[in-house]
Amino acid sequence: MAEACKCAPGSAPGRPENILVTGGAGFIGSHTCVALLSTGYSVVIADNFSNSSPSALDAVRRITGRDLVFYETDVTDASAVRRIFSENRIDGVIHFAGYKAVGESVEKPLSYYRNNLLSTIVLAGACVEHGVPRFVFSSSATVYGDNKPPFVESMPLLPAANPYGETKAVCEKILADTVRSCSGFSASLLRYFNPVGAHESGLLGEAPNGIPNNLMPYITRVAKGELKELSIFGNDYDTPDGTGVRDYIHVMDLAEGHIAALRNAPCGLSVYNLGTGKGTSVLQLVTAFERATGVSVPRRIAARRPGDIAVCYADAGKAERELGWKTHRTIEDMCRDSWRFEKNRCV
Ligand code: UDP
């Protein structure tokens, strides 16, 4: 027998008003909450602060001048999630909460599969049970694996190089199957490229615990003098300057992509790349940072990082055609905004 689905069959998702944002205190989640609240949505945030802190929520309130409903909750906990759905009228879910460190996922595959898959299953289950028609999922360009860039949504997914990437691909499949089984339930799978930058106020940004894994937070810590130098992982790739090429996207552009998906994605299953469509090398990013901020970033060339691909960038055309969304902010904006936040950051 089919699982009970209370989403009205064939109904358009309509324009959701009250959005449950899981991982809303995290880097992308908090910026998306700013975009949602500034556009007139209300938000309910569920976050267990496993890689974030309450100060992000204060910053969201301060920037927007609006309040939000908050649950300190692990969204793998089905009864806690059920409680959120019964205490609030939820019109749509944006699911960010998840583990995201590639290297850690190799060391702790079971934690990654458990956390990332179970949270998606629990939340999609709560949607179909409570008749919530719209789900937006935080996926990643890592699902394209070894395909040849630019990555297009219609490419077959290739095995990811690590368990983190696999969890994203499996969650996409779980949501696709749920959409197929429940005609009133719609899911948008958003494949992010490399989110960087910060809110222009300097109050909200990326504050990873410990030594950063990702390039931009590493650059800002070196610029601040907290880390000695940047290691550039390989300068012998088949790219114009030999260093790895990525599609860096300003986190506020990315946040606005979620609103476009909520508003404009069609019924059923939809998949979109959220990227700029342009590749920037490690060396180009470092140079752009120095130019935009006037601060120098000591660096050295180091060995390639295992699992890295040479080039990754989006074909960003589908999101523009179907969602009416494209990026506006430049690499210079990303560098300046990241630096403004880092300079303000005291912890
Ligand atoms: N990178 C680097 N030094 C660092 C961190 C990253 O040279 O300390 C390079 C990495 O090899 C890749 C690019 O910067 O080419 C982006 O890496 P990041 O970890 O930010 O994102 P990824 O694309 O790997 O998810």
Side-chain angles (χ1 to χ4, degrees):
M1 201 174 72
E3 286 166 2
C5 171
K6 294 214 181 114
C7 302
S11 69
R15 187 163 158 188
E17 306 289 343
N18 194 31
I19 308 298
L20 171 62
V21 182
T22 74
F27 175 43
I28 307 172
S30 59
H31 288 79
T32 302
C33 287
V34 167
L36 286 163
L37 291 166
S38 312
T39 326
Y41 290 93
S42 303
V43 300
V44 175
I45 295 179
D47 200 303
N48 65 356
F49 298 130
S50 76
N51 190 29
S52 60
S53 82
S55 63
L57 302 180
D58 295 336
V60 171
R61 291 188 184 98
R62 224 175 121 189
I63 291 167
T64 61
R66 293 195 54 198
D67 206 1
L68 46 87
V69 177
F70 176 69
Y71 288 83
E72 187 167 345
T73 295
D74 180 334
V75 287
T76 62
D77 178 345
S79 58
V81 167
R82 211 168 288 128
R83 198 180 126 217
I84 298 175
F85 278 73
S86 30
E87 290 180 358
N88 301 274
R89 195 205 73 224
I90 305 289
D91 299 308
V93 173
I94 308 183
H95 178 32
F96 293 103
Y99 294 157
K100 61 170 189 177
V102 169
E104 188 184 56
S105 79
V106 177
E107 284 152 30
K108 302 178 180 171
L110 296 177
S111 304
Y112 271 67
Y113 282 109
R114 185 186 177 283
N115 188 58
N116 292 4
L117 271 55
L118 191 51
S119 58
T120 303
I121 293 168
V122 164
L123 288 160
C127 285
V128 299
E129 201 178 303
H130 290 84
V132 175
R134 168 63 77 199
F135 197 100
V136 175
F137 179 63
S138 185
S139 189
S140 163
T142 186
V143 298
Y144 290 112
D146 278 337
N147 276 291
K148 201 169 139 9
F151 297 140
V152 187
E153 290 85 345
S154 54
M155 283 174 163
L157 301 192
L158 296 179
N162 52 70
Y164 161 73
E166 287 297 334
T167 67
K168 292 296 178 190
V170 177
C171 287
E172 287 199 0
K173 178 91 174 72
I174 290 169
L175 291 166
D177 289 341
T178 308
V179 166
R180 210 167 295 129
S181 75
C182 175
S183 61
F185 177 71
S186 294
S188 296
L189 314 177
L190 304 184
R191 295 177 179 160
Y192 308 155
F193 282 71
N194 286 62
V196 297
H199 189 264
E200 63 183 12
S201 63
L203 296 172
L204 195 58
E206 186 172 16
N209 296 328
I211 296 180
N213 291 308
N214 296 114
L215 180 58
M216 184 64 97
Y218 207 103
I219 289 176
T220 58
R221 298 269 174 106
V222 172
K224 206 175 179 185
E226 286 180 4
L227 293 169
K228 188 166 144 268
E229 63 185 0
L230 170 72
S231 297
I232 296 180
F233 297 145
N235 67 346
D236 55 354
Y237 284 108
D238 185 14
T239 61
D241 63 22
T243 65
V245 168
R246 297 290 183 274
D247 185 341
Y248 297 97
I249 172 170
H250 194 293
V251 67
M252 286 310 298
D253 277 330
L254 187 69
E256 288 158 15
H258 293 74
I259 296 188
L262 279 177
R263 287 189 171 164
N264 303 331
C267 294
L269 184 72
S270 53
V271 187
Y272 298 101
N273 287 337
L274 296 186
T276 65
K278 287 194 271 298
T280 302
S281 75
V282 176
L283 270 176
Q284 285 171 331
L285 188 68
V286 177
T287 312
F289 182 90
E290 292 182 328
R291 216 176 26 239
T293 64
V295 182
S296 69
V297 179
R299 64 247 193 196
R300 69 178 185 103
I301 304 297
R304 288 184 180 191
R305 184 171 63 180
D308 272 355
I309 57 172
V311 180
C312 171
Y313 64 98
D315 178 323
K318 188 179 178 207
E320 183 172 358
R321 284 191 305 276
E322 295 188 10
L323 302 180
W325 169 90
K326 65 176 176 160
T327 61
H328 294 286
R329 294 159 178 96
T330 64
I331 287 281
E332 283 67 34
D333 296 330
M334 301 177 208
C335 294
R336 221 181 5 253
D337 292 341
S338 292
W339 180 232
R340 190 181 297 114
F341 174 71
E342 183 66 43
K343 275 192 302 184
N344 286 347
R345 196 178 58 85
C346 4
V347 279

